[in-house]
Amino acid sequence: MDFNFTPDQLALKKMAQDVAAKEITPYALEMDHKGEIKPDLIKKLDEAGLINLVVPEEYDGPGLDALSIALIYEELGKACAGVATTIAANALASYPVILMGNEEQKKHFFEVINSGKLAAFALTEPGAGSDAGAVATTANKDGDHYLLNGTKCFITNGGMADIYVIFANTRKSAGIRGLTAFMVDRNTPGFSVGKEEDKMGIRASNTCELILDNVRVPETNRLGREGEGFKIAMKTLDAARPLVGAVSVGIAQAAFETAVKYSKERVQFGKPIASFQLVQAMIADMAMSIESARLLVYRACWLKDAGLPFAKEAAMAKCYASDAAMQVTTNAVQILGGYGYIKEYPAEKYMRDAKIMQIYEGTNQIQRLVIANQILY
Ligand code: COS
């Protein structure tokens, strides 16, 4: 693995840093308190070229490699994990189309994203979280259409997207072998957005329930064949997991910098608290966790970009980096003491934002299963 980044990768990282410093960081606490993204921010992120990062060049996107995307997500995660999650959901919804979409499907889907619109990936249901194969939403054939019925929950960008990738069962008795993926436009009759969740963290992102009531989807919107949905979902999650790791590294880095700065300024017993060895040990541990997490993320991306197997490393990157983010942000709150616990300072937001990284796109218990399966079988 080459530890030197290309000039293009460094330029992208700098661009993301500049956009974050100007458009995201100054508003992060306000968006968190309000529980919504700043109304004009999506447009600004689109103008900066950050909405369609995974869209291939042949479909007028930047077609970036995974490592470049990770560098960008790290900066966005540092600025506001809720905003990073909004953008990451576009990538998550794009992967099934990149993997299985035909020419027409890719043209349609990427045209939507290239025009600055949002997309959503809808797999999770009230009864199908870790057990992704337990999807109860049905897709019954009706001539050259399917009728989709069911409810999806916890869908990032659910209330804001224009296009969705929805997983439904075309053959209920077949379990995971009945799962099928569909592209669904928001304006399809029968499709509606249900309740919006009021969340602990990543509050700038939008998380909604989706209701499918006889949604008539043309056969031409089916991604891949009937029954291929589970594998499409698994491959999508493989691709997305290092990027959850990258956002986690960003959150941890932000919390770390806040804690280091504070430890040099805060005077107790006549000295800055940074001069006390117990604080220094915390800072050293935080730095080691962040650096290890970052290397795991970069390595998973590097393997993916090299066309090598990366599922195990993707799960490791997601799991380790999000656990590190939880630990580092908790320690940052500890170092800031009372100031860490109040909403006027960013430390408590980092801790709340870090928690979801251990839960979404596969809980860290599932990541450990995936890693163990790769090692044992
Ligand atoms: N890539 C390609 N195929 C995969 C795969 C992957 N990463 N993982 C599994 N598959 C295939 C297997 O090869 C198997 O195919 P065959 O039956 O043809 O051999 C099939 O899928 C079933 O695999 P497996 O038996 O491992 O599935 P399980 O039901 O045991 O589930 C876990 C595996 C738990 C790992 C899976 O359900 C999972 O990842 N759950 C978490 C879902 C999730 O992340 N949800 C978050 C919400 S989405 S944002």
Side-chain angles (χ1 to χ4, degrees), residues 124 129-130 176-177 230-231 234 237-238 241 361-362 366:
T124 302
S130 291
I176 60 170
R177 290 180 203 287
F230 189 77
K231 284 188 187 174
M234 291 301 110
L237 291 166
D238 285 344
R241 281 170 183 157
E361 293 186 33
I366 290 292

Side-chain angles (χ1 to χ4, degrees), residues 94-158:
S94 298
Y95 287 126
V97 184
I98 292 172
L99 284 167
M100 298 305 286
N102 60 32
E103 193 58 29
E104 280 308 301
Q105 292 169 337
K106 285 179 175 164
K107 257 173 95 177
H108 175 61
F109 192 90
F110 296 135
E111 235 169 58
V112 176
I113 305 212
N114 286 340
S115 67
K117 306 262 174 61
L118 295 180
F121 174 89
L123 173 65
T124 302
E125 297 186 358
S130 291
D131 186 3
V135 160
T137 294
T138 52
N140 292 323
K141 203 75 192 283
D142 181 32
D144 56 1
H145 282 67
Y146 289 88
L147 287 177
L148 268 58
N149 282 288
T151 304
K152 296 287 173 183
C153 66
F154 303 151
I155 306 304
T156 302
N157 290 350

Side-chain angles (χ1 to χ4, degrees), residues 9-52:
Q9 286 169 334
L10 292 173
L12 284 165
K13 184 177 167 68
K14 173 82 172 58
M15 178 275 288
Q17 252 168 10
D18 292 346
V19 173
K22 183 158 173 256
E23 307 292 354
I24 307 176
T25 311
Y27 310 101
L29 286 183
E30 184 189 330
M31 289 189 283
D32 175 65
H33 296 165
K34 283 191 179 159
E36 61 186 29
I37 199 159
K38 207 159 72 76
D40 59 344
L41 187 51
I42 302 290
K43 189 164 175 284
K44 290 192 166 150
L45 295 170
D46 177 43
E47 283 163 5
L50 290 168
I51 291 288
N52 63 347

Side-chain angles (χ1 to χ4, degrees), residues 260-281:
V260 168
K261 181 168 181 290
Y262 181 86
S263 73
K264 290 182 183 170
E265 291 165 1
R266 172 73 171 169
V267 173
Q268 289 289 275
F269 306 104
K271 292 187 225 171
I273 62 169
S275 66
F276 298 116
Q277 288 186 343
L278 286 178
V279 173
Q280 289 177 1

Side-chain angles (χ1 to χ4, degrees), residues 241 296 311-320 364-377:
R241 281 170 183 157
L296 279 174
K312 181 180 72 183
E313 288 76 7
M316 286 178 170
K318 189 273 184 190
C319 185
Y320 190 90
N364 282 3
Q365 284 69 30
I366 290 292
Q367 306 308 320
R368 288 179 168 91
L369 271 187
V370 170
I371 296 164
N373 278 340
Q374 292 271 340
I375 293 167
L376 297 170
Y377 304 111

